[in-house]
Amino acid sequence: MKSKVQTKSLKKVLAYAKPYKSRFIWVIVWAILLSIFAAARPYLLKQTVDSYISLNDKTGLLYYIILMGIVLLLEVAAQFYFTYWANWLGQDIIKDIRNKLFNHIASFKMKYFDNEPVGKLVTRSVSDIESIASIFSQGLFMIVSDVLKMVVILGIMFYMNWKLTLIVLLAMPILLYATNIFQKKMRVAFNEVRTQVSNLNTFVQERLTGMKIVQLFNREDIEFEKFKAINEKHNNAWQKNILYNSIFFPIADIVSSLTLGAIVWYGGMNILDGNGMTTFGDLFAYTMLITMLFNPLRQIADKFNVMQMGIIAAERVFEILETDSQIQNIGTKEATSFNGKVDLENVRFSYIDKEEVLKGVNLQINPGETIAIVGSTGAGKTTIINLLNRFYEIDSGIIKIDNTNIKDFTLESLRKQIAVVLQDVFLFADTVYHNITLYNPEITREYVINSAKQIGVHDFIMSLPNGYDYDVKERGVMLSSGQRQLIAFLRAYVSNPSILILDEATSSIDTYSEELIQTATETITKGRTSIVIAHRLATIINADKIIVMDKGKIVEQGTHSELLMQDAGFYKNLYEAQFDTKVA
């Protein structure tokens, strides 16, 4: 069963070679030429010894030496082109697979990333892809080349001396049996190695990302012990690999040496008996031929292992490529702009089956209106944002923008009209300018600068070293949380969205940054539908409407003053608790 799966995976990999068909053919051609040139040298050596050295023919000897030199040069050339073209083909194929894999992962639902560790996806996209390249550079084509070489060599050996060749053939079943056992053991060992590499990558990636938490809570020793345990499993997996190699290769060497000894003994006895069945040229040639025959057989096992690792890696990569976790992008309408009317009609949603987060939510937002959504953690506030952007699919109900089901819009055009500023701003290791534009060629530097001036963040950016060209490093570590928020506001503003969403955008910033953000908020929400999610009620007092959520339902809605007038109201209790005051 496993072999069928692996054959299927190999076929899938080879399918990516179709655009490079001519190059694929040339690799095979060079493999054939390489096997012919390699096998020709021992035969020429036999002819040199028997026809010229034995007969003291110096002219013929010189001629054959030159001929052997030419054949050697041709073999070197064939080896070069074969190796170069095989590696070239392999690298182009993995380039195509990696592009397809990244594009596929980028289209996954957020739910997929909720369940899959990032380290695993990194392993699949980097090291597993590199292992696939080895199928071509060190595996499949090398095996084909070695098999061709062995076939040609056996043909020449039978032509030269069939009795000596039979001795060689008697030893081959032993080596083939050992190779088969070795290959099976190594398949299991390599599978375990890839699993442990993935686990190691996942652990390291998570701990490096969360190093601040590790150090804040003094977990360095604990995490180190956990790392040691995972590293030990990784080491044990490789130890099996090393053990099997240590057993197999000495066996292969012994079989090869014993066969060579048998050839020398039998051939030597024939020469001493003077029966003419074996010549000195045969012995010279067979000394080379046995090495050339057994070395590929010995190396084929090693190359099978490399190819095995590549196929196992391919299985893992294709598992992701064949994962159907995309948001259905079947809409045909292009959203060039929205008036901003948003309707949620009896929307139900659950991240985990049968554990509803939204329980029949009905909500209407009018064009140009600024609404605020408040409630305790887990009430479902951020979930509404995720559904509006179609990061997740709703279980039932309908979401409309401008009276049109959001599923009827193309995914790209829908998200282009909705800008989100999150509490935890993610910045790439790049310049401020590129983090604002995200390499959108339609957004010019002049437009960015003018926009920054309009929302009041230009002076802040210019205060940084190199201004807009300041490198914020990985995740924007060179900036404070407030500064990152300001860049996120500008990023949202320059995209000129029809609908703006602020998710806890002012929850963890300093007073100075908050003042700048308040100014920016007033500017960018003007004239467009805006949804503000906030714990700090002071930031949403002037909202046109406040939506209060609890346990996946809307429990209250109205203006700030209207909600404060409700006796024992949910919002009123939140307000009094937050400001430590009683509202009459």
Side-chain angles (χ1 to χ4, degrees):
M1 184 63 182
K2 280 186 178 180
S3 60
K4 287 183 180 179
V5 172
Q6 289 170 352
T7 302
K8 191 176 179 181
S9 296
L10 181 59
K11 287 180 179 178
K12 290 177 183 176
V13 173
L14 291 176
Y16 283 86
K18 287 182 180 179
Y20 311 102
K21 186 177 179 181
S22 60
R23 204 184 308 170
F24 188 93
I25 293 171
W26 270 109
V27 172
I28 300 299
V29 169
W30 286 117
I32 293 171
L33 291 175
L34 177 61
S35 63
I36 292 172
F37 294 142
R41 284 191 298 113
Y43 180 74
L44 291 175
L45 178 62
K46 167 188 164 56
Q47 294 298 107
T48 302
V49 172
D50 289 342
S51 301
Y52 300 104
I53 294 178
S54 297
L55 301 177
N56 199 24
D57 185 348
K58 294 181 180 179
T59 303
L61 175 62
L62 179 61
Y63 169 77
Y64 259 75
I65 291 297
I66 294 172
L67 184 59
M68 288 174 66
I70 294 172
V71 171
L72 178 61
L73 290 174
L74 290 173
E75 182 184 352
V76 170
Q79 180 72 59
F80 168 77
Y81 284 110
F82 168 72
T83 304
Y84 178 79
W85 282 58
N87 280 274
W88 182 20
L89 176 61
Q91 288 301 317
D92 276 349
I93 286 173
I94 67 165
K95 177 196 69 177
D96 294 343
I97 296 176
R98 186 181 281 119
N99 284 341
K100 186 175 181 180
L101 179 65
F102 184 84
N103 187 52
H104 190 67
I105 291 174
S107 65
F108 278 163
K109 302 175 186 176
M110 288 298 109
K111 189 173 183 178
Y112 182 87
F113 299 104
D114 294 340
N115 299 323
E116 292 291 338
V118 175
K120 173 183 173 182
L121 297 177
V122 171
T123 301
R124 300 292 177 269
S125 304
V126 183
S127 59
D128 279 342
I129 293 286
E130 289 299 328
S131 294
I132 294 175
S134 64
I135 293 177
F136 299 93
S137 61
Q138 303 171 46
L140 180 64
F141 289 136
M142 293 297 179
I143 291 171
V144 170
S145 174
D146 286 343
V147 169
L148 284 172
K149 198 179 293 183
M150 289 168 62
V151 168
V152 174
I153 287 170
L154 278 173
I156 288 178
M157 290 173 78
F158 268 110
Y159 175 75
M160 287 170 50
N161 192 317
W162 66 270
K163 289 187 176 180
L164 291 181
T165 306
L166 287 178
I167 296 175
V168 175
L169 290 179
L170 288 174
M172 288 191 71
I174 300 172
L175 199 54
L176 288 171
Y177 178 75
T179 301
N180 185 47
I181 297 296
F182 177 63
Q183 185 185 344
K184 289 179 179 178
K185 294 290 184 182
M186 289 302 290
R187 182 187 304 152
V188 176
F190 276 137
N191 205 357
E192 179 64 18
V193 166
R194 298 313 304 168
T195 299
Q196 295 307 325
V197 166
S198 179
N199 292 341
L200 198 61
N201 283 345
T202 299
F203 183 89
V204 171
Q205 191 273 335
E206 286 183 345
R207 270 57 185 184
L208 290 179
T209 303
M211 187 56 68
K212 183 181 290 186
I213 299 299
V214 172
Q215 295 184 358
L216 274 173
F217 289 90
N218 297 313
R219 289 186 57 86
E220 292 93 334
D221 292 339
I222 296 172
E223 296 301 330
F224 177 61
E225 291 301 322
K226 290 168 71 175
F227 175 80
K228 282 172 63 178
I230 295 174
N231 198 28
E232 182 67 24
K233 290 181 180 179
H234 177 260
N235 180 261
N236 290 338
W238 272 109
Q239 289 297 336
K240 289 182 181 178
N241 184 304
I242 294 168
L243 175 64
Y244 298 145
N245 276 286
S246 301
I247 294 172
F248 172 75
F249 289 110
I251 291 175
D253 288 338
I254 290 171
V255 172
S256 177
S257 298
L258 289 175
T259 304
L260 181 58
I263 290 292
V264 172
W265 174 79
Y266 182 78
M269 291 297 291
N270 284 334
I271 292 172
L272 293 175
D273 289 342
N275 55 23
M277 295 178 61
T278 305
T279 66
F280 281 108
D282 287 336
L283 288 184
F284 274 100
Y286 268 76
T287 300
M288 289 181 64
L289 287 168
I290 288 173
T291 302
M292 293 173 67
L293 181 67
F294 278 26
N295 268 354
L297 189 60
R298 177 179 180 273
Q299 292 168 8
I300 279 176
D302 196 30
K303 289 163 187 173
F304 259 118
N305 294 332
V306 172
M307 191 168 76
Q308 194 73 47
M309 184 174 273
I311 292 174
I312 290 170
E315 289 172 12
R316 296 170 183 270
V317 170
F318 286 124
E319 180 184 350
I320 296 177
L321 281 171
E322 292 165 5
T323 298
D324 184 16
S325 188
Q326 284 86 7
I327 295 289
Q328 286 191 331
N329 189 14
I330 57 176
T332 55
K333 293 185 177 181
E334 289 290 330
T336 53
S337 66
F338 290 137
N339 291 324
K341 184 174 183 292
V342 179
D343 294 287
L344 278 72
E345 299 176 3
N346 196 28
V347 173
R348 293 181 177 274
F349 174 76
S350 54
Y351 292 102
I352 302 172
D353 290 342
K354 300 180 181 179
E355 295 183 20
E356 281 191 333
V357 177
L358 297 183
K359 303 171 183 178
V361 171
N362 290 285
L363 175 63
Q364 186 178 83
I365 306 171
N366 297 317
E369 195 173 47
T370 296
I371 74 154
I373 305 177
V374 300
S376 58
T377 301
K381 306 183 297 297
T382 301
T383 299
I384 290 177
I385 294 172
N386 289 332
L387 298 181
L388 194 60
N389 280 281
R390 293 197 68 201
F391 292 140
Y392 298 85
E393 295 282 26
I394 60 176
D395 297 339
S396 64
I398 188 171
I399 300 176
K400 296 179 181 178
I401 298 180
D402 293 348
N403 300 315
T404 301
N405 191 329
I406 59 172
K407 291 184 179 180
D408 294 337
F409 296 111
T410 62
L411 204 56
E412 182 181 358
S413 68
L414 171 70
R415 290 177 178 170
K416 193 173 183 179
Q417 294 303 318
I418 303 173
V420 182
V421 179
L422 299 170
Q423 174 185 1
D424 183 17
V425 177
F426 189 95
L427 298 182
F428 296 95
D430 208 326
T431 64
V432 170
Y433 174 71
H434 286 140
N435 270 287
I436 293 167
T437 64
L438 297 177
Y439 286 90
N440 185 341
E442 296 176 4
I443 302 175
T444 65
R445 180 177 286 262
E446 183 182 2
Y447 177 65
V448 169
I449 293 172
N450 289 334
S451 299
K453 290 177 179 178
Q454 289 172 21
I455 66 172
V457 301
H458 175 70
D459 291 340
F460 143 66
I461 295 175
M462 291 307 295
S463 69
L464 299 171
N466 299 321
Y468 288 87
D469 295 315
Y470 179 60
D471 189 345
V472 301
K473 305 300 181 183
E474 187 176 3
R475 299 181 69 89
V477 295
M478 303 304 291
L479 303 177
S480 69
S481 59
Q483 291 172 325
R484 291 197 293 270
Q485 286 288 1
L486 291 170
I487 291 175
F489 267 78
L490 184 53
R491 177 195 285 170
Y493 187 57
V494 298
S495 67
N496 193 27
S498 300
I499 298 172
L500 177 68
I501 298 171
L502 308 179
D503 185 4
E504 305 285 3
T506 60
S507 63
S508 59
I509 58 176
D510 56 85
T511 305
Y512 173 71
S513 296
E514 183 175 358
E515 291 174 359
L516 288 177
I517 287 176
Q518 288 293 352
T519 302
T521 302
E522 291 173 8
T523 304
I524 67 177
T525 57
K526 199 176 210 178
R528 57 168 58 92
T529 300
S530 303
I531 302 171
V532 181
I533 294 176
H535 279 303
R536 298 169 65 178
L537 303 185
T539 62
I540 48 96
I541 288 175
N542 296 322
D544 296 316
K545 184 164 54 180
I546 298 173
I547 308 298
V548 185
M549 296 191 67
D550 184 43
K551 297 178 181 177
K553 295 181 178 180
I554 295 176
V555 293
E556 294 172 4
Q557 56 181 304
T559 63
H560 171 71
S561 56
E562 288 171 349
L563 292 173
L564 287 182
M565 291 173 63
Q566 297 184 21
D567 291 334
F570 198 97
Y571 180 82
K572 184 177 181 180
N573 291 335
L574 280 176
Y575 186 84
E576 289 176 346
Q578 197 165 115
F579 291 94
D580 193 22
T581 184
K582 286 287 183 181
V583 179

